Every structure is written in C-alpha cells, then in structure tokens.
Amino acid sequence: MCKIYHTLSRENIRGMYFPMNSVVMRLDNGMRLVCTNFHTKRIGFLELFVWLPDQGKWVKTHEKNILTNAMWEYYSKNLRRIKPDHNNYEDMMKHSHKRKGAGGGVRLGNSGYTTDYECSKNPMHDFRRSMYVQWNQA
C-alpha cells in the first residue's frame, strides 16, 4: 500500500527540499520516492530521489517500473495542465515605474476628468499638498 501526493510549495521531506509540484510516493516500509521532473518521454526512465530509511539517506536513481508508472498516472491526471510561470521578474523591476497597461482609468463625477495612476517611488506624487493643510486649519 502506498500514498501518492504532490507538494503544494517548496517542501522539506526528510531533510531535503523539493520544489513545488513534485510528486511524492510514500510506501508502507518508510521509503519515499520523489520525482521533480516529468519532462521526459513516457517510455523512458524517471529520475527519482529515494529515501532509504534503514540507511537514513537520499539516493538519486533512474527507474522504470510499476511504481514510476503510478507516479506518471498521478502526474498526468493532476499536474499536466498546470502551466509554468515564465514571467521574468528581474526585467519587470528594472524600471523606476511601470505604467498601468490596458486600463481605462476612473471617471470622477461629471467633470469628465479621468485618472490613470502609475506606480512611482513617491506614492503620493499626484495628490495636492494642500490636502494636508486643510485638516490642520480651524
């Protein structure tokens, strides 16, 4: 009897960290089989990390057997449709500000005045300073 699940975030299993969406198979004898990469052909061998409880260590191996077929089935049913995140966050953060894209702005009242805010290093850049003075006057 075994239990198959996938990691929901970066997870520590027996002292080793595995990335999100790694498929883990836990066997009754205490062994753990973890596969992090299913980007190979189905007919090939899977790269597995195996926890050996009697030796107390992780071993990296390549296997193709009934257990790896069960892991393939789990992956294809539950995780195959999840698209990887290809956003390059370093490129996004290079500019001091990024303009709002594809936004229509907000109409204020009947004056026809439209605002379209942008991110800036000065968060209060488009508010009048007199706003603060009005509260202090009696």
Side-chain angles (χ1 to χ4, degrees):
M1 194 69 176
C2 64
K3 180 180 178 183
I4 301 177
Y5 63 96
H6 67 276
T7 56
L8 299 176
S9 64
R10 184 172 181 248
E11 192 171 317
N12 183 355
I13 302 172
R14 300 286 184 186
M16 189 169 181
Y17 285 94
F18 293 99
M20 186 168 88
N21 295 331
S22 298
V23 177
V24 181
M25 179 182 282
R26 187 174 67 195
L27 302 177
D28 287 340
N29 61 2
M31 288 181 69
R32 310 266 171 126
L33 306 168
V34 181
C35 183
T36 59
N37 185 9
F38 286 91
H39 301 292
T40 60
K41 292 184 179 180
R42 180 77 185 254
I43 58 174
F45 288 79
L46 274 182
E47 180 182 274
L48 294 175
F49 293 95
V50 181
W51 169 255
L52 302 173
D54 54 344
Q55 297 177 8
K57 66 178 182 178
W58 285 98
V59 177
K60 185 177 177 181
T61 183
H62 293 81
E63 292 289 329
K64 182 180 179 187
N65 55 26
I66 297 170
L67 299 176
T68 57
N69 286 339
M71 293 174 82
W72 266 108
E73 290 296 324
Y74 181 87
Y75 174 78
S76 57
K77 284 182 184 176
N78 298 304
L79 300 173
R80 184 171 292 254
R81 288 180 217 95
I82 296 175
K83 294 183 179 177
D85 188 13
H86 294 293
N87 292 336
N88 190 347
Y89 294 103
E90 292 178 5
D91 287 344
M92 288 182 189
M93 300 305 286
K94 283 182 182 175
H95 304 289
S96 61
H97 69 279
K98 179 166 175 42
R99 295 195 183 271
K100 182 178 176 183
V106 178
R107 291 204 175 264
L108 301 175
N110 294 331
S111 65
Y113 179 72
T114 304
T115 63
D116 197 5
Y117 294 107
E118 64 182 33
C119 299
S120 171
K121 290 184 178 180
N122 179 12
M124 303 299 279
H125 68 282
D126 57 351
F127 293 100
R128 294 178 299 169
R129 292 181 185 267
S130 62
M131 168 180 152
Y132 301 107
V133 177
Q134 292 172 358
W135 288 101
N136 295 328
Q137 293 177 353

